[in-house]
Amino acid sequence: MMSLSETIWAVVKILIMVGFLFNVGGLLTWLDRRQSAMIQDRIGPNRAVIKVFGIEFRLGGLLHPLADGVKFFFKEDFIPPRGDKLLFAVAPILVMAPVLALIAVIPFGDKLCVDDLWRTTDTGSLLFPAVPRYGSCLIPVARGGIAAIDLQVASLNVGILYVFALAGQGIVGAALAGWSSDNKFSLLGALRAASQMVSYEVTIGMSLVGALMIYGSVRMGDMVRWQGDHAWGIFIQPLAFFMFFMAAVAESKRIPFDLPEAESELVSGYFTEYSGMKFGMFYFAEYMEVVTSSMLLVTIFLGGWQLPFLHRDGLTIDIGTWRALQLPMNHLTVTAIQVCTFFGKVLFLCWIQCFVRWSLPRFRYDQLMKLCWRILLPLSLANILVTGVVYLLLDHAGPVLGNTLQMIGDLTQAVVAIAITYFVLSIVIGLIRPTRRTSWVVGSTAKLAQRFGGTPRSPRMQA
Amino acid sequence: MPTFKLDGKEIPFETGDTIIAAAARVGIEIPHYCWHPGLSIAANCRMCLIEVMPSATQRSPLLDILEWDATLQDYRTVRKPKLQPACQMAATEGAEIQSNASENVAVARKAVQEFLLLNHPVDCPICDQSGECKLQDYWLEYGRFKKRMGDEPVHKPKAVVFGPTIVYDAERCVMCTRCIRFMDEVAHDPVLEMRERGNHNEICVADGHALTGHYTFMTEHVCPVGALTTKDFRFKARVWFLRTAKSICQGCATGCNSYLDYDPRYNRAYRHRPRDNEQVNKYWMCDEGMLSYRRIHEDRVSEPRLQGKTVSASAALQAIKQAFAGVSPNSVAVVFSAQHSLEDNWALRELAKTLLGTTSFYVSGLPDGYEDKILIHRDKNPNREGVAALARDAKSFADLVTDIRAGRATHVIALGGEAPLDHHDGEPAFEKLQAMVTIAAHDGPLTRAATVVLPATTWAEASGTYVNAKGIRQVADKALEPIGGAAPAWTQIAHVARSLGLNPQWGELKQIRTRLSSEVPAQTATSSTQTES
Amino acid sequence: MTQAAAFPKKRATPFTPVVVKHAERSLSNQSYIPEIIRGVGESMRHFFRNTKEMWKNDRPDPVTQRLDKGITTISYPEQKRPYPERFRGLHRLMARDDGSPRCVACLCCSTACPAQCIFIEAGEYPEGDKRRGYERFPVRFVIDELRCIFCGFCVEACPCDAIRMDTGVHATPYDSRDQFIYDKGLLMSFAGRDGSHKTENPRHEPGEKTHPGIDRERSH
């Protein structure tokens, strides 16, 4: 039985996760359009406008998702007359629900000790840290303290297995949508969706086995903590990372794996017949799947809430046994940074996924299947085998090798830290650097524009 | 038949023929302005100059002619053969004539053309003749020079009103005197004359007179340039937008052959002009006939009517079926129309005789009118002879009125709306009728009296055959598309027959024509080729 | 701003066949991964440059710098490119000094028109008018701008500089079809691109000194 405070905390956590999911899902519809415009040298959406006291707010097209939402609600809710009305109505819910349920097991922060929020470690004293690096809080429950709160909606012991179980449910919705639409394009899309998702489901599972062997747990929180202590999963299992990434894109049916809804072939695939908010749910579920797959990637391969060298007691740079820097921080600061880190990493991955979408051409269906069954699956099996053998060997090696591995792990953290710094710095420098321009004043149009000091200032050619 | 050689080609001629006429008869045109096959010879335009080659024993008559020499930069005298006007030169057996083949002729033509255009305003864009103007045609064919005269051209009166129908522009005139000769020789009304000399030459109407009468439009028609224009056609259309159909004038029983010029874009007729036929109208038409194209668009019956109200075709046919149910054939009177074509009347006779079994036939049509000795016939109906050939025992329209009054005819099927009927005399009689069906293109006394009116096409909207007063059978081609619900009368008669439960045996014009040619033998006009006028 | 050749001249080699190279069958090509990274990298280059320019509001001029890198599209109804000088816009009818149309209703334009979108009804000047006999005038002059294909043949055909397409206004959208039917009054109300109704091509009216004569008395 949950206590009142536990219930409140649970509600707060759900609100945080679901709120993030919905908001970022909405933002992604904007990001997809805006980013594609930037990639393709266009201005992009900016027509949606709100007028307040005569001042127009366009917010760089951010109002478009809002306008879309309003439009979804007021559109005709068309149901094919000869389709299955019940299944037709249920299908979008079946697509949407698993995505929402899936985020329950994803941790967005380390354990939170409510009692120790403001406590800071004394400088130089690691012996009596305000908050222990690992484990429970300083004041145990038995002595009247409040139990440590997992920043995770549900700390399931089956963890990742729950994720697999739910991710597989999306197929049902897509298949039902296609079947109940009474439309051949829809049915073809559903067939493609079902076979594609079933196939890539296998790869998703298999690619993670190696990582799970190393982490030694299927609990998401444990995985993140392991990565913080040693090295991020992407360094330990790079192949698995790429395979999981590909399979995740395929699962969310996005370019280059968008065959179930390929516009040039199937109109809109399994949701061709959908309109209004039902279509909106499919549309939205796709973007939420991008967010959840990014969350999974971050949790399993990119160190979850971890930042290099940031521990529960503050910033401590240790390379092997040599301590380069120690900067204690209070518990609240550290937790806030970690939560922000998690969500930041998720946003970064969503952003990367958008690049993938706007850069790559669509696969052919046979290529898609070949890629899955003939390349990804054997590779993931080989990955399991190699991982297992290496893990066994390392497990029996001596402490010297263990220390070396720890040293290498710390170095990877340093690499990540340097990469982040470089990335931020280069963006700043790029922003400061001036742009060089070349003019071509040829033809009467250009001459006219130049005479008036640029096209925006040249006279409107209206009578 | 004697022959002469024109550009190496043997041309047959009859004694007394001029060279230009003999050439025209075989379809060779020698350029000309003033010559017209129906008018006397003036030989004043000098466009038809030809070179008569001397025979072996003769010397060619030579003239001193000034020719520009480019090297000398001056004119010098050269001796060249004297050219002859082809319109005045009588053809002689074995003569050798050169027209297009002769270089001297080409130079002369070009010079004549340049001379005629010296003072021409060249306002082709606003000239109604543009597109069918001989000045344009010949410039393109034989001229192709640029204007060399830098001086101001001579100016003469413009837009001079000659009469109620004709407007004259002296600047465009080439003084061929065709119009003067036409009024003198054909219309026998010599009101046109010429005044001044040389550059200042112009055509004018004799003092105290105006260009009136029944043949004023022909002056415009014979004018080879844009000097004379009719008020009727002036500024109405550009001729290159018009299409032409061979037609027969519907104005009177003479049955003049005509061309009907219409604009297919607007489905509108714009002009009626004569088509040469030696046997019927020669080269001429009267004013009334040339204006008769207007009737195509006037007083039309475009939709079926029942008791004066517009109804659908099926409703009209249903009403006919009800009105004629159980009616004895003896009380049905059938009225033919001298206004309608042979085909229409044949279909009506077929319906009456074969299908209905009635033989009480009557003829309607327009009443008689003005006549003269040139072209205009007293009978204003184009096909009275044709109806007579189809139904010899047809009674007059006056008999119909009598029969209706006497109650001998209770039901009437009539073709054409026109009838020699006035309000005081005949129309009250029709109120006694139980039912009357009229198939008509135009409103008239018979459509006003009718219970049911079915719209028919006019002569311009369907091909039809007409027999003129001389008994010559002639065909008018289709020009315009039928308006509204109109269909050829023979089609409408077939509809009526079907609605009465009968089985008409004609579905196409071809079938009617075949039956007609076997049943009604008639003298057919030899179709003459259009000689250039 | 540096001036560069707009279209660098490339020597045409019309008779040299273009050899399309087969992609090499190497591991890097077949695995597709380096190409993906290159592709995504290209996308990123565009993304960062354009985002920066949008953010700093420093985009290349869409006309004078249209061959430069960056976003050169425009927000159309708010922004407009200037039309070239010889742009064929909506028609207008030129007027004489007294405000009547220069058109003499010769129908040359409607003859030249391949879309048959010009309808003119010609009229004659009344008795006593100095132009009677010399000219006619359009009673109705109607252009169906929906049918018009803006080829400019009517302008070429016009013998008296009466119709022009120099309004600089492109075909305008309307709510209903009949609004596209422009009549004489509307066509005459349009000004040229410079906003004036003036023309450098003078018209000589009958009766003026510059006009070539009018009657027998004043002729040569």
Side-chain angles (χ1 to χ4, degrees):
Chain A
M1 191 61 204
M2 286 169 95
S3 69
L4 183 65
S5 72
E6 276 174 331
T7 314
I8 291 171
W9 272 108
V11 169
V12 168
K13 285 187 287 190
I14 289 173
L15 281 181
I16 289 175
M17 273 314 249
V18 173
F20 179 79
L21 190 61
F22 273 118
N23 280 310
V24 174
L27 265 182
L28 275 183
T29 61
W30 167 78
L31 185 78
D32 228 15
R33 293 171 185 160
R34 196 77 193 169
Q35 192 174 337
S36 65
M38 293 297 105
I39 291 169
Q40 295 162 355
D41 292 353
R42 293 183 284 117
I43 291 172
N46 60 359
R47 309 309 306 173
V49 60
I50 288 181
K51 259 192 190 170
V52 182
F53 301 119
I55 306 163
E56 291 187 350
F57 289 98
R58 287 171 192 265
L59 308 179
L62 262 174
L63 293 169
H64 275 262
L66 204 71
D68 281 347
V70 174
K71 193 175 161 188
F72 280 147
F73 278 111
F74 288 101
K75 276 245 170 183
E76 186 199 352
D77 182 19
F78 175 77
I79 297 175
R82 291 171 63 207
D84 190 314
K85 288 176 183 55
L86 178 67
L87 295 184
F88 190 80
V90 165
I93 302 171
L94 286 183
V95 169
M96 191 104 163
V99 188
L100 279 172
L102 194 144
I103 53 170
V105 292
I106 295 172
F108 56 93
D110 208 343
K111 280 183 179 165
L112 182 70
C113 296
V114 186
D115 292 328
D116 312 322
L117 278 181
W118 305 104
R119 211 171 276 211
T120 316
T121 315
D122 295 333
T123 315
S125 163
L126 254 186
L127 294 173
F128 304 103
V131 183
R133 265 201 191 181
Y134 316 109
S136 57
C137 304
L138 210 56
I139 308 168
V141 186
R143 281 200 280 150
I146 299 169
I149 296 160
D150 273 324
L151 290 185
Q152 180 179 14
V153 175
S155 178
L156 280 183
N157 53 359
V158 288
I160 196 84
L161 298 180
Y162 169 80
V163 171
F164 293 154
L166 279 182
Q169 302 309 307
I171 305 169
V172 181
L176 285 182
W179 186 80
S180 64
S181 290
D182 184 35
N183 179 325
K184 283 164 189 158
F185 287 122
S186 299
L187 190 62
L188 280 173
L191 286 175
R192 284 184 175 190
S195 52
Q196 173 179 334
M197 289 170 83
V198 164
S199 309
Y200 278 85
E201 201 70 30
V202 180
T203 311
I204 281 201
M206 288 300 172
S207 63
L208 285 189
V209 170
L212 300 184
M213 274 157 50
I214 293 172
Y215 297 155
S217 167
V218 290
R219 275 178 189 267
M220 307 289 254
D222 293 347
M223 292 184 191
V224 177
R225 275 181 212 105
W226 192 93
Q227 290 178 70
D229 290 342
H230 300 93
W232 287 8
I234 188 170
F235 295 108
I236 295 161
Q237 289 276 313
L239 190 61
F241 171 77
F242 281 110
M243 286 193 295
F244 186 79
F245 188 68
M246 279 161 88
V249 174
E251 278 287 294
S252 54
K253 300 179 284 283
R254 280 167 68 83
I255 292 170
F257 303 107
D258 67 334
L259 288 118
E261 53 204 66
E263 288 86 356
S264 45
E265 302 160 27
L266 295 179
V267 189
S268 250
Y270 56 88
F271 53 80
T272 302
E273 293 288 353
Y274 281 86
S275 61
M277 204 53 214
K278 282 183 187 151
F279 166 76
M281 285 167 86
F282 279 111
Y283 185 68
F284 211 57
E286 182 190 313
Y287 283 101
M288 294 204 304
E289 269 181 60
V290 173
V291 182
T292 52
S293 65
S294 300
M295 283 178 171
L296 284 175
L297 274 163
V298 166
T299 310
I300 300 168
F301 291 103
L302 294 179
W305 64 77
Q306 306 279 10
L307 261 187
F309 307 120
L310 185 71
H311 303 285
R312 266 158 78 89
D313 52 2
L315 192 65
T316 314
I317 301 179
D318 283 336
I319 306 294
T321 51
W322 171 62
R323 172 151 303 171
L325 176 80
Q326 190 181 24
L327 183 70
M329 295 176 187
N330 69 31
H331 183 50
L332 183 67
T333 315
V334 171
T335 309
I337 291 175
Q338 285 181 335
V339 170
C340 291
T341 305
F342 173 78
F343 288 128
K345 283 177 181 175
V346 171
L347 288 178
F348 177 77
L349 264 186
C350 292
W351 183 69
I352 293 288
Q353 288 208 31
C354 281
F355 272 114
V356 173
R357 172 174 179 180
W358 292 106
S359 300
L360 303 184
R362 183 184 302 140
F363 278 103
R364 218 166 53 210
Y365 201 72
D366 61 322
Q367 292 171 332
L368 175 93
M369 281 298 167
K370 209 180 273 178
L371 180 70
C372 178
W373 293 106
R374 301 237 293 245
I375 296 167
L376 292 186
L377 189 63
L379 267 180
S380 61
L381 290 174
N383 188 41
I384 293 170
L385 187 72
V386 172
T387 309
V389 171
V390 171
Y391 187 76
L392 199 67
L393 290 178
L394 291 181
D395 217 20
H396 290 279
V400 179
L401 188 61
N403 285 339
T404 317
L405 281 177
Q406 181 62 43
M407 178 95 168
I408 294 170
D410 290 345
L411 276 176
T412 61
Q413 305 276 12
V415 165
V416 171
I418 291 166
I420 293 171
T421 318
Y422 174 77
F423 185 67
V424 172
L425 273 181
S426 54
I427 284 179
V428 172
I429 291 169
L431 272 177
I432 294 166
R433 188 188 295 152
T435 323
R436 289 184 62 196
R437 295 250 177 267
T438 326
S439 290
W440 284 271
V441 184
V442 172
S444 59
T445 310
K447 279 172 189 154
L448 205 61
Q450 199 190 34
R451 201 191 313 155
F452 288 96
T455 307
R457 278 176 293 282
S458 48
R460 287 206 175 167
M461 296 292 112
Q462 282 285 19
Chain B
M1 198 178 253
T3 59
F4 66 92
K5 265 190 176 172
L6 181 66
D7 290 343
K9 198 184 167 202
E10 294 282 337
I11 308 281
F13 68 96
E14 284 159 18
T15 318
D17 265 356
T18 55
I19 288 168
I20 200 170
R25 197 174 296 123
V26 295
I28 296 172
E29 194 202 338
I30 295 171
H32 59 275
Y33 291 102
C34 68
W35 179 75
H36 189 285
L39 298 175
S40 63
I41 295 158
N44 61 15
C45 74
R46 315 309 284 180
M47 192 63 193
C48 64
L49 290 176
I50 42 138
E51 188 174 350
V52 183
M53 305 310 280
S55 65
T57 54
Q58 268 182 331
R59 201 167 57 88
S60 175
L62 293 173
L63 288 178
D64 285 348
I65 287 173
L66 285 177
E67 196 181 69
W68 178 255
D69 193 320
T71 50
L72 286 175
Q73 285 295 302
D74 201 355
Y75 290 94
R76 64 184 169 88
T77 313
V78 287
R79 289 180 76 77
K80 287 198 169 180
K82 177 160 169 41
L83 306 178
Q84 303 291 337
C87 64
Q88 214 175 23
M89 186 86 183
T92 47
E93 171 79 57
E96 201 173 312
I97 314 288
Q98 285 203 344
S99 114
N100 290 343
S102 165
E103 212 162 280
N104 296 325
V105 170
V107 170
R109 278 176 188 166
K110 197 168 171 175
V112 169
Q113 183 75 5
E114 186 171 8
F115 172 69
L116 290 177
L117 283 172
L118 266 188
N119 291 310
H120 192 83
V122 205
D123 55 350
C124 298
I126 60 162
C127 174
D128 277 311
Q129 192 80 6
S130 179
E132 51 184 12
C133 176
K134 278 192 189 283
L135 282 171
Q136 287 181 332
D137 294 350
Y138 292 157
W139 184 86
L140 273 171
E141 218 169 327
Y142 310 111
R144 301 262 185 165
F145 51 82
K146 282 184 181 165
K147 192 163 182 170
R148 289 190 289 172
M149 189 180 81
D151 287 353
E152 184 68 31
V154 174
H155 290 285
K156 291 194 263 188
K158 293 176 86 74
V160 182
V161 177
F162 269 9
T165 53
I166 298 292
V167 179
Y168 174 66
D169 185 323
E171 289 189 349
R172 295 176 188 156
C173 186
V174 294
M175 301 304 154
C176 67
T177 67
R178 270 188 185 186
C179 47
I180 299 176
R181 279 177 285 149
F182 174 81
M183 290 311 286
D184 286 358
E185 297 161 15
V186 183
H188 304 303
D189 183 17
V191 292
L192 292 183
E193 59 187 19
M194 191 188 254
R195 76 167 172 212
E196 299 273 356
R197 292 177 65 83
N199 276 348
H200 300 274
N201 223 327
E202 73 183 69
I203 307 287
C204 60
V205 188
D207 254 354
H209 288 80
L211 185 58
T212 53
H214 291 276
Y215 294 94
T216 58
F217 274 50
M218 278 317 296
T219 58
E220 184 271 343
H221 181 71
V222 294
C223 183
V225 295
L228 290 171
T229 46
T230 62
K231 282 184 177 174
D232 178 58
F233 186 67
R234 193 171 161 85
F235 300 170
K236 289 287 187 307
R238 305 314 311 247
V239 292
W240 52 83
F241 286 133
L242 301 180
R243 298 292 172 267
T244 300
K246 286 180 183 173
S247 194
I248 301 295
C249 177
Q250 306 285 305
C252 70
T254 308
C256 294
N257 295 18
S258 68
Y259 286 115
L260 184 67
D261 291 342
Y262 62 99
D263 193 330
R265 299 175 302 171
Y266 310 125
N267 200 34
R268 239 194 127 69
Y270 280 88
R271 197 164 62 160
H272 219 181
R273 56 194 169 92
R275 178 158 56 102
D276 300 359
N277 190 331
E278 206 50 56
Q279 283 176 282
V280 183
N281 56 325
K282 296 196 170 66
Y283 316 96
W284 323 118
M285 268 172 84
C286 66
D287 289 0
E288 287 75 22
M290 286 175 86
L291 281 174
S292 68
Y293 78 89
R294 288 179 173 175
R295 191 156 160 71
I296 299 169
H297 304 294
E298 282 169 359
D299 299 335
R300 285 300 301 276
V301 179
S302 61
E303 299 297 338
R305 285 184 214 153
L306 177 59
Q307 317 275 16
K309 289 192 187 74
T310 302
V311 292
S312 72
S314 57
L317 291 175
Q318 186 64 31
I320 294 172
K321 189 182 174 184
Q322 281 170 3
F324 281 79
V327 175
S328 149
N330 295 331
S331 57
V332 177
V334 171
V335 184
F336 294 105
S337 173
Q339 283 282 321
H340 275 257
S341 68
L342 214 48
E343 288 84 351
D344 297 348
N345 283 301
W346 178 87
L348 186 63
R349 192 193 67 169
E350 199 72 2
L351 172 75
K353 235 183 194 169
T354 324
L355 302 176
L356 283 176
T358 176
T359 49
S360 46
F361 294 157
Y362 305 87
V363 185
S364 75
L366 288 174
D368 289 354
Y370 172 85
E371 82 178 305
D372 67 12
K373 291 200 167 63
I374 306 167
L375 282 175
I376 304 172
H377 197 278
R378 172 176 44 84
D379 182 6
K380 295 301 169 195
N381 299 295
N383 201 25
R384 192 174 290 280
E385 286 299 312
V387 174
L390 279 172
R392 300 215 170 275
D393 47 355
K395 287 179 265 184
S396 74
F397 194 78
D399 294 339
L400 175 68
V401 177
T402 319
D403 285 353
I404 293 171
R405 287 223 171 95
R408 282 191 289 274
T410 57
H411 291 70
V412 172
I413 301 177
L415 190 60
E418 303 84 354
L421 188 70
D422 57 47
H423 292 270
H424 312 291
D425 178 24
E427 274 192 33
F430 282 84
E431 284 166 11
K432 284 187 74 179
L433 286 175
Q434 286 179 23
M436 177 168 179
V437 178
T438 305
I439 298 140
H442 296 103
D443 264 330
L446 295 189
T447 58
R448 284 194 291 272
T451 331
V452 180
V453 182
L454 293 176
T457 52
T458 61
W459 44 279
E461 293 164 346
S463 181
T465 314
Y466 301 88
V467 183
N468 74 357
K470 288 183 188 168
I472 300 172
R473 189 195 287 192
Q474 305 179 105
V475 174
D477 285 346
K478 178 185 170 178
L480 303 168
E481 291 303 318
I483 60 159
W490 51 268
T491 316
Q492 295 288 29
I493 292 166
H495 288 321
V496 171
R498 266 183 224 109
S499 78
L500 296 177
L502 307 168
N503 185 22
Q505 295 298 314
W506 65 95
E508 290 174 25
L509 192 62
K510 225 166 115 187
Q511 292 168 329
I512 301 179
R513 292 249 164 101
T514 318
R515 297 278 294 276
L516 264 178
S517 60
S518 59
E519 287 175 27
V520 194
Q523 176 193 359
T524 309
T526 48
S527 74
S528 66
T529 52
Q530 156 83 348
T531 41
E532 184 52 47
S533 54
Chain C
M1 277 190 189
T2 54
Q3 204 84 13
F7 306 103
K9 268 187 188 158
K10 211 194 254 177
R11 193 164 291 278
T13 49
F15 301 109
T16 320
V18 179
V19 181
V20 180
K21 265 202 203 160
H22 261 290
E24 221 181 308
R25 279 190 166 247
S26 63
L27 184 68
S28 68
N29 270 352
Q30 294 231 284
S31 71
Y32 194 43
I33 288 166
E35 299 301 318
I36 288 178
I37 292 166
R38 267 177 55 194
V40 173
E42 189 59 39
S43 299
M44 285 193 174
R45 232 191 317 280
H46 279 257
F47 172 79
F48 283 118
R49 189 189 56 229
N50 293 334
T51 310
K52 170 190 165 189
E53 287 174 5
M54 281 296 275
W55 189 46
K56 294 173 84 173
N57 198 15
D58 178 31
R59 290 190 280 137
D61 189 285
V63 173
T64 56
Q65 295 164 341
R66 66 191 185 282
L67 300 178
D68 230 359
K69 284 175 181 172
I71 298 173
T72 51
T73 56
I74 54 169
S75 301
Y76 165 62
E78 291 90 14
Q79 291 181 316
K80 285 191 174 88
R81 288 170 207 275
Y83 287 128
E85 273 170 56
R86 295 175 64 185
F87 172 76
R88 290 194 293 264
L90 288 183
H91 310 77
R92 66 178 176 126
L93 280 181
M94 306 298 291
R96 303 164 196 248
D97 290 340
D98 66 352
S100 61
R102 283 174 79 107
C103 173
V104 295
C106 70
L107 278 90
C108 283
C109 50
S110 77
T111 303
C113 181
Q116 299 196 357
C117 68
I118 305 177
F119 174 85
I120 302 169
E121 189 185 319
E124 179 146 29
Y125 285 101
E127 196 81 60
D129 195 297
K130 61 185 177 180
R131 294 187 194 129
R132 181 180 163 87
Y134 287 90
E135 288 173 10
R136 38 201 228 180
F137 72 97
V139 180
R140 288 170 69 205
F141 192 109
V142 181
I143 299 184
D144 187 344
E145 296 287 355
L146 259 188
R147 280 192 156 208
C148 176
I149 58 165
F150 295 91
C151 63
F153 283 8
C154 50
V155 183
E156 299 291 323
C158 186
C160 48
D161 188 26
I163 189 168
R164 288 194 185 179
M165 295 178 83
D166 63 350
T167 49
V169 185
H170 59 235
T172 321
Y174 292 109
D175 300 327
S176 70
R177 282 168 192 242
D178 43 329
Q179 285 171 290
F180 287 92
I181 314 292
Y182 284 17
D183 65 355
K184 191 171 76 174
L186 186 63
L187 288 165
M188 287 191 67
S189 70
F190 293 141
R193 273 178 92 155
D194 52 0
S196 88
H197 291 270
K198 286 232 159 58
T199 166
E200 289 166 15
N201 191 358
R203 165 119 213 142
H204 307 293
E205 298 292 344
E208 286 174 6
K209 274 231 163 92
T210 48
H211 188 271
I214 181 162
D215 49 32
R216 194 181 296 113
E217 283 66 43
R218 277 193 277 159
S219 68
H220 303 254

